[in-house]
Amino acid sequence: MKIATVGVHVLDTHVIGIESIPGGSDGQLVETIRMSAAGTAGGTALVLSRIGAEVLSFGAVGSDPIGDTLLALLAREGVDTSGLVRKDDQQTSASVIPVRPNGDRPAWHCIGANGAFTLDDLDRAALDGITHLHLGGPEFLGGEAAGELLAHARSIGATTSLDVLAPGDPDMLAWIAGALPHTDYLLPNDEQVFGFTGASSLADGARALVDAGAGCVAVTQGAKGALVVTADEVIEVPAYPIEPDRLVDTTGCGDAFSAGFLRGLSLGRDLRAAARLGCATAAQVAQGLGTDAGSYDLDTVVALAG
């Protein structure tokens, strides 16, 4: 599998042990502060590389220390970052995620360079030879430009996938609608599906997105697992149970599912088996802090998925 991951790249800073925000200028000790590569393109890229894909990342970061750190974290995992352009007038996209003892994870986020990325920043010749193109955050490009990129990927023999970062909303769906007919696999979460479509059931909402042009919709449902819908079938795959004392942080689990699902397809698995691999990959990531935590690899997630 040689995959181009295009779009949103973020540096996440996770803070474990947040009980409250101190008042005034007071301080508070926490358990852990850790940085990791994230985003619907960046996080997916890292996990894909971990599980054996050849990964080329394309997007925009700032010419700042945050960008230096993000590039180093991706490169350390074997991701080819030569397609990430540096924007001198933008900061690198970053999030701070305080994780509360009950698992809640609110976030502060700066869009930064992700909002300045355009198709002019991407050398299409660098895509030659890829087997798949994954676009994370099509809303930053708009449906017309996103569709143009996905159509180009198909023209050179690659399959395509799309993962939206923004919350589900009918206006957002209209904004990216031009990309859906060029999308083989749409990878939303359940809240996005309901928000995009207003459907009364998740399966009906996913079918509406298939009717809008997507070839297949693979929806994550948090602790419930995933639902995969095509024009011909509906497949439900449960999540893998995690003991409470092993659950660390669910940030990035959606990106991990995307990576595992797409990798499963590249290995010749059918939709159900690919979704099982996606859920197994998400379970691995949930047991660490950040997508790069621990030492999981393809053998690890295959052993869990069966």
Side-chain angles (χ1 to χ4, degrees):
M1 184 182 198
K2 183 176 182 180
I3 180 169
T5 52
V6 183
V8 173
H9 290 72
V10 182
L11 182 71
D12 275 358
T13 300
H14 312 262
V15 186
I16 299 292
I18 296 290
E19 296 181 356
S20 63
I21 298 176
S25 298
D26 293 343
Q28 180 186 95
L29 293 176
V30 297
E31 296 173 21
T32 305
I33 299 175
R34 188 176 190 274
M35 295 179 179
S36 66
T40 45
T44 305
L46 189 151
V47 180
L48 278 162
S49 188
R50 273 279 181 100
I51 57 177
E54 179 183 352
V55 185
L56 301 83
S57 263
F58 298 86
V61 299
S63 298
D64 55 9
I66 300 175
D68 295 342
T69 302
L70 178 55
L71 291 175
L73 289 171
L74 289 168
R76 187 173 70 178
E77 296 293 338
V79 176
D80 182 339
T81 63
S82 60
L84 288 169
V85 299
R86 308 296 294 259
K87 301 273 188 179
D88 294 338
D89 60 341
Q90 300 285 333
Q91 84 145 78
T92 301
S93 180
S95 294
V96 177
I97 304 170
V99 182
R100 295 180 177 135
N102 67 356
D104 288 348
R105 46 189 181 96
W108 292 284
H109 180 68
C110 179
I111 292 175
N114 284 325
F117 176 67
T118 71
L119 291 188
D120 291 337
D121 294 314
L122 194 156
D123 177 10
R124 295 193 186 187
L127 300 177
D128 291 348
I130 64 169
T131 60
H132 189 92
L133 187 142
H134 175 73
L135 176 58
E139 60 268 36
F140 290 105
L141 292 175
E144 183 178 347
E148 179 185 335
L149 176 62
L150 296 173
H152 172 73
R154 281 179 161 182
S155 76
I156 59 174
T159 51
T160 61
S161 56
L162 197 66
D163 188 2
V164 182
L165 183 63
D169 179 87
D171 291 338
M172 178 57 67
L173 181 61
W175 174 243
I176 64 168
L180 296 184
H182 309 285
T183 301
D184 293 312
Y185 303 98
L186 179 63
L187 303 163
N189 61 41
D190 49 0
E191 292 180 355
Q192 288 173 323
V193 171
F194 285 122
F196 286 149
T197 66
S200 58
S201 76
L202 194 58
D204 286 345
R207 285 192 194 95
L209 294 172
V210 171
D211 291 342
C216 171
V217 179
V219 189
T220 54
Q221 305 181 79
K224 290 181 63 177
L227 186 75
V228 182
V229 177
T230 69
D232 302 317
E233 58 185 333
V234 176
I235 301 166
E236 189 150 15
V237 174
Y240 289 88
I242 303 172
E243 296 296 329
D245 62 341
R246 300 285 300 274
L247 180 63
V248 176
D249 180 29
T250 58
T251 306
C253 284
D255 300 328
F257 172 83
S258 295
F261 177 72
L262 297 175
R263 185 71 175 112
L265 294 172
S266 79
L267 294 170
R269 293 188 170 216
D270 62 18
L271 290 174
R272 182 180 298 278
R276 286 176 60 86
L277 195 67
C279 289
T281 308
Q284 286 288 337
V285 167
Q287 295 177 69
L289 193 57
T291 52
D292 58 347
S295 57
Y296 67 89
D297 57 16
L298 181 60
D299 289 341
T300 306
V301 294
V302 167
L304 179 59

